[in-house]
Amino acid sequence: MGKATLSLADDISGLTSELCRAVGLSHSTNAAEEYADLVREMLGPGGDRPIGQPPAWPSDVADDHTPVEFSLAVDRAGRPAVRLLLETLGEGTSIEANVCAAQELLPRLAERYGFSLAAFDAVADLFLPKHPQGRFAWWWSVVLRLGLPPAFKIYFNPEVRGRAVAGELVEAGLDRLGFGGAYPNLRRRLRPGDELDRYSFFSIDLHTQPDPRVKVYLSHHDGDLAQLLRTAGAARQVEEEQIREFTAIAGGHRGRFTGRPLISSLSFLAGDTDRASGFSVYLPVRDYAEDDEVALARAHALLAGHGLDRALLDRALTVLARRPLNEGVGLIPHLSLRTGRPHTGLTVYLSAESYAVTPPRPESLAS
């Protein structure tokens, strides 16, 4: 089947099963097929559209509007996980249609995998208004690990009712889920106004445990290491030196990030009253590297610095890289570091590039 007639669902589900095999997550053919079928189902009706046609919905998940972004996460023990950030595509071409399709899917997944909807029910009315604003309202994360059932997370858009009330939604969401005391500590670490440090995502884990994790993500426009460390102070057990080293290597030893913003997240677990348990930083390396060869070299350096096997990433790229690395930028869009609880590790994000490839960036712009 040629690319002109290959559907988005066929493309992404095939890559998913191949990627899981490449990094050792598919212990059987059945597991690989299960993952592929799950992704096909989660893409929704819009997944049937051929990728030879322009995307019907301009999803903001990836630069070329592919509604999926892969990532390879490796913890300190070297155990890999394949993750997908995914937007369900509805029958129409609107945020409302996508939300409707996701809402229809949610109870089926909950019944099949046995997770609770209590956290979702507690905050859904905050983040799913009748007329959502912004570029999205509901994204999913699917985490695939060896020997475990898929794990799910929902990402909500704090600016779905407008940027001016994003903080109020985050505060209300944290309060409803038992973390209201942490919001003042977070808020005072941000720069004044609502332009530089913006709430990007509010996420909830869909787990079988009674107390799922909650995460708050922030985009730090025109940010630097100092702002990252200031925000990190809203969490416990943050390893500042690791954040310094990660930012220097992943960002090419720059001071201020004036392109796509640095992103941080705070992870809230049961018992967190005034501060979060974990802190992560996400660096959009595609804006600060000439091409994907440079981005890969930085990812290799980070993995080596943490004593992790870079061969896992190389095997993943044999599946996803459909062109020479020096002929584009964005196949590796983000690099991230997790510190604190529940676990630490590195993540390399990987694009499917189902629709388009971003040309290499001139060295003068990347630096």
Side-chain angles (χ1 to χ4, degrees), residues 45 57 87-104 127-138 160:
W57 171 251
E87 183 170 18
T88 299
L89 304 179
E91 293 281 3
T93 54
S94 66
I95 297 177
E96 292 88 346
N98 295 347
V99 169
C100 182
Q103 284 180 311
E104 292 178 358
F127 296 103
L128 298 176
K130 185 176 181 180
H131 300 293
Q133 301 179 38
R135 295 186 175 183
F136 82 102
W138 180 330
V160 74

Side-chain angles (χ1 to χ4, degrees), residues 15-238:
L15 290 175
T16 301
S17 58
E18 290 179 34
L19 181 57
C20 289
R21 290 190 185 98
V23 300
L25 296 190
S26 293
H27 53 280
S28 69
T29 301
N30 288 341
E33 291 177 353
E34 177 193 348
Y35 298 152
D37 289 343
L38 173 63
V39 170
R40 183 185 302 277
E41 180 182 14
M42 294 188 70
L43 280 170
D48 294 333
R49 185 179 177 87
I51 57 175
Q53 300 177 12
W57 171 251
S59 176
D60 207 37
V61 170
D63 293 342
D64 70 335
H65 303 312
T66 302
V68 172
E69 180 184 68
F70 294 97
S71 59
L72 177 66
V74 187
D75 63 18
R76 275 188 170 174
R79 294 170 299 200
V82 168
R83 301 189 302 189
L84 293 87
L85 181 65
L86 184 150
E87 183 170 18
T88 299
L89 304 179
E91 293 281 3
T93 54
S94 66
I95 297 177
E96 292 88 346
N98 295 347
V99 169
C100 182
Q103 284 180 311
E104 292 178 358
L105 175 63
L106 180 62
R108 297 203 304 269
L109 294 180
E111 181 177 2
R112 186 184 311 162
Y113 295 103
F115 57 75
S116 170
L117 295 179
F120 173 85
D121 292 338
V123 299
D125 66 300
L126 293 174
F127 296 103
L128 298 176
K130 185 176 181 180
H131 300 293
Q133 301 179 38
R135 295 186 175 183
F136 82 102
W138 180 330
W139 289 351
W140 303 87
S141 171
V142 188
V143 183
L144 307 174
R145 297 186 179 93
L146 182 64
L148 294 174
F152 302 89
K153 179 193 300 184
I154 294 177
Y155 290 83
F156 294 117
N157 180 6
E159 296 187 357
V160 74
R161 296 178 184 271
R163 188 183 305 173
V165 297
E168 295 175 24
L169 291 190
V170 169
E171 182 178 19
L174 287 174
D175 185 59
R176 290 186 185 186
L177 295 172
F179 306 110
Y183 181 78
N185 186 20
L186 166 61
R187 185 67 189 89
R188 66 172 173 264
R189 296 177 184 277
L190 308 183
R191 290 168 289 182
D194 61 358
E195 295 295 326
L196 295 178
D197 299 310
R198 291 168 54 181
Y199 295 101
S200 307
F201 308 103
F202 185 98
S203 75
I204 54 172
D205 284 8
L206 300 174
H207 284 331
T208 54
Q209 295 91 337
D211 298 306
R213 180 180 56 170
V214 176
K215 296 182 73 174
V216 174
Y217 295 73
L218 294 122
S219 297
H220 304 288
H221 296 264
D222 197 27
D224 57 11
L225 174 63
Q227 181 55 33
L228 279 181
L229 295 179
R230 194 156 46 242
T231 307
R236 299 187 297 274
Q237 302 175 354
V238 172

